[in-house]
Amino acid sequence: MADIDIRQVAKRFGNHQALHAVNLTVADGEFVVLLGASGSGKTTLLRIVAGLEKASHGTVIIGGRRVDDLPPRRRGIAMVFQNYAVFPHMTVFDNIGFGLAMQKVPAAEIERRVRRVAELLHIEELLKRYSGQLSGGQRQRVAVARALAVEPAVLLMDEPLSNLDALLRLEMRAELKGVLQESRTTTIYVTHDQVEAMSLADRIAVMHEGRIVQAAPATEVYHHPATRFVGGFIGNPPMNFLPAEREGEGARVAGHLFRDAPAADAALLFGIRPEDLVPAGKGLAGRVRVVEPLGPHQLVTMDLAGHLFRVVLDNDLAVRPGETLTLAPRPGRVRWFDADSGVSLTQTTQPEPATGA
Amino acid sequence: MLRLASGEKVLSYVLILPASLFLAAFFFVPFVQVVVEAFTGEEGFTLAHFRTMADDWKFGPALANTLGLALVVVPVQITLALVMASLVTRLERGRDMVLYVFTIPLGISDLAAGLIWFALLEQNGFLNSILYGLGLISGPQNLLDYRNTAALFAAVVVAEVWRATAIVLVILVAGMGLIPKEYDEAAEVFGAGPLKRFFLITLPLLRPSLQTALILRTILAFEVFAVVAVLAGNNLPVLMGETYSWQFDLQDHKVASAYAIVILAISLAFTVFFLWALRDRTREAAA
Ligand SMILES: Nc1ncnc2c1ncn2[C@@H]1O[C@H](COP(=O)(O)OP(=O)(O)O)[C@@H](O)[C@H]1O
Ligand SMILES: [Mg+2]
């Protein structure tokens, strides 16, 4: 068990800056998900923590110990690779026991621990097989078992579910959550799938272009996005944004006056989640363009003062394309952003210090 | 499941027909001729030519020398190439350049290679000059003395290693490039140091390339000829040299063919051995 402290870590590849002074702390036993689009630097950051990549700048501290100059095998970590990297020339048993064998653990003890994790991941009957005789899902379990077998202080996982088909991914996600919750191992988990991130994380660190733009529990990232990017990246459909004109204490959005805009010098941007609106007598009025029934809800796309605007409404409400719909935000759900920098003006948490620098 | 329609199937046979005809005309026909030559006499089938061959006093030494050379040269080449390939693969920059330099000897024929090493090692050669210049020897030494078989053997080994290690290197570098780097990284994360990673991960995963390199190099080693001829002349008889000598000096095509069959049989035996010894064992285990 150990905590992780990532301080001012930067990485350049040639003249491409893959990471800009990233700061992130992971508490002992915490499960942090690095979430970001492809190319945002998640893998690079994870590999720097693992010691497979050297940071151009900054420090990584694991369990109170600076590990920058230690090779991966001296860092007390285990890793699950995106393509599993289950050794094809070894049996499942030897794969799972590999780390223990490297630590010169006695054979009987290896046997005991391999069987225990194999049981945990329901692969006891595969122990004699080779990787080539396994399905993707089974290989994935072997990769996780191999990592858990060494009882690491820190577990690193790079998109471990991304190569599985959708149904299997859902099943493995739930199972992984159960197994990892039990082990309470400090974990950094990389994914580009926001549903996966929400489902697994104690805390989500949202990455964008080599920076962590917000690190907070899932509900907070969802309801209080630290920047316009986070609001637009998380949530499906994403947050709606509309330009706002300052008017006295308030701000006018698409013709409607909101009285409680934040007092700041910056130009304002209005933001609201699609499910945070209800039909009302007055408010934001626009013409309905498309109605899509989604089982329990309906997704209504409308034209609001020239901007595309999406709302998720109860499906007992009759809405037809072409008609005009007037909506009011649920109380406390409007978010204001600095129109230029995109930084939230209503957030309750700050982004990790110095990330935006 | 990709199944070719029958029309396409016919087409694929038509497409490989020219290559097959070529092989038949220029490989199979001469091969059959050699077999016929080796096993027939005036009255049909006979083993007389093989008896003539075996009774010749040079057959024993030729067989022993050829096998001995292969047994020394091939392991040295494989080991050297493995070390070099590991180093080359690790280079971040200038990898191709280093590989080009290493592979220069490949562009030189075996005869020319023999001549180069002869020029280096002969009594008035380069090595003698250097040793003399450094004051390490008082006068020219005959390094290729015909009475010193061990020295001749060693000279041939050095020349062969210099000449043909690069082909093994090229095969192994290509093979290492095919191994996903995650295997090595996973081994590193799970506690294996550089040596353990080489022996537990890289070497086993290199099996197909090693197999190819071993088979190719062993077959070529049994055909060693020009380098030996230049450096050792008749003092280090080898099978290929004897084949040549029966064919052209003694004008006995029958015994020469018998020699050719022996070389072929040994090559085949080793090929089968390597195919078996380095087979993919992971497919055998019952699922
Ligand atoms: N070894 C490398 N050499 C050069 N550029 C790299 C290398 N690894 C990653 N990058 C670049 O760094 C950026 C971040 O990559 P990565 O960390 O793999 O992103 P992610 O895992 O979020 O998809 C990308 O633009 C990628 O092209
Ligand atoms: Mg990645």
Side-chain angles (χ1 to χ4, degrees), chain B:
Chain B
M1 294 290 113
L2 196 75
R3 265 266 163 77
L4 293 179
S6 64
E8 287 176 62
K9 239 183 210 167
V10 172
L11 181 65
S12 15
Y13 285 118
V14 171
L15 287 176
I16 61 165
L17 193 64
S20 312
L21 286 178
F22 181 88
L23 265 182
F26 295 100
F27 176 76
F28 194 66
V29 171
F31 172 73
V32 170
Q33 274 173 349
V34 168
V35 174
V36 170
E37 289 267 340
F39 287 102
T40 56
E42 317 256 285
E43 286 106 46
F45 179 83
T46 173
L47 289 174
H49 313 307
F50 285 89
R51 233 167 280 133
T52 314
M53 174 189 75
D55 287 343
D56 182 36
W57 71 270
K58 275 171 119 181
F59 175 73
L63 184 63
N65 287 335
T66 305
L67 286 174
L69 275 174
L71 245 49
V72 174
V73 169
V74 174
V76 169
Q77 286 179 327
I78 297 283
T79 311
L80 260 180
L82 274 173
V83 173
M84 283 155 73
S86 305
L87 297 179
V88 168
T89 318
R90 217 151 289 184
L91 289 178
E92 301 207 340
R93 230 166 292 180
R95 215 186 100 165
D96 292 346
M97 194 65 213
V98 172
L99 209 54
Y100 289 144
V101 172
F102 278 168
T103 49
I104 285 175
L106 275 186
I108 298 170
S109 77
D110 51 352
L111 183 61
L115 291 172
I116 289 174
W117 280 90
F118 185 73
L120 279 171
L121 298 175
E122 67 154 336
Q123 203 150 4
N124 300 311
F126 193 60
L127 189 61
N128 261 311
S129 310
I130 288 183
L131 292 179
Y132 183 68
L134 290 172
L136 294 173
I137 52 174
S138 54
Q141 303 283 312
N142 189 359
L143 299 167
L144 298 173
D145 187 345
Y146 68 91
R147 285 158 304 188
N148 190 346
T149 315
L152 294 177
F153 190 90
V156 172
V157 168
V158 171
E160 274 294 290
V161 166
W162 176 83
R163 184 181 73 81
T165 302
I167 186 70
V168 184
L169 177 68
V170 169
I171 294 172
L172 295 187
V173 167
M176 281 185 186
L178 289 178
I179 302 175
K181 70 175 179 9
E182 283 82 2
Y183 292 131
D184 194 59
E185 291 180 344
E188 192 175 0
V189 163
F190 288 104
L195 275 182
K196 283 238 168 73
R197 293 207 297 280
F198 178 78
F199 285 108
L200 296 180
I201 308 297
T202 309
L203 210 48
L205 292 179
L206 207 54
R207 184 187 49 75
S209 311
L210 268 177
Q211 196 176 45
T212 308
L214 270 170
I215 291 173
L216 188 72
R217 261 317 301 159
T218 311
I219 291 177
L220 289 176
F222 291 136
E223 292 174 1
V224 68
F225 174 46
V227 171
V228 181
V230 173
L231 289 176
N234 266 332
N235 304 306
L236 198 71
V238 288
L239 290 176
M240 207 62 187
E242 290 313 294
T243 314
Y244 180 90
S245 145
W246 281 95
Q247 175 84 6
F248 296 105
D249 302 338
L250 305 172
Q251 293 284 329
D252 190 332
H253 310 314
K254 300 279 183 184
V255 178
S257 296
Y259 264 105
I261 296 290
V262 168
I263 296 173
L264 177 75
I266 299 175
S267 300
L268 215 59
F270 273 84
T271 302
V272 170
F273 170 75
F274 287 133
L275 285 177
W276 170 81
L278 293 175
R279 69 199 180 281
D280 184 359
R281 282 158 221 262
T282 68
R283 309 260 156 223
E284 293 170 5

Side-chain angles (χ1 to χ4, degrees), chain A residues 43 82 158-159:
Chain A
T43 297
Q82 183 165 6
D158 193 358
E159 312 223 12

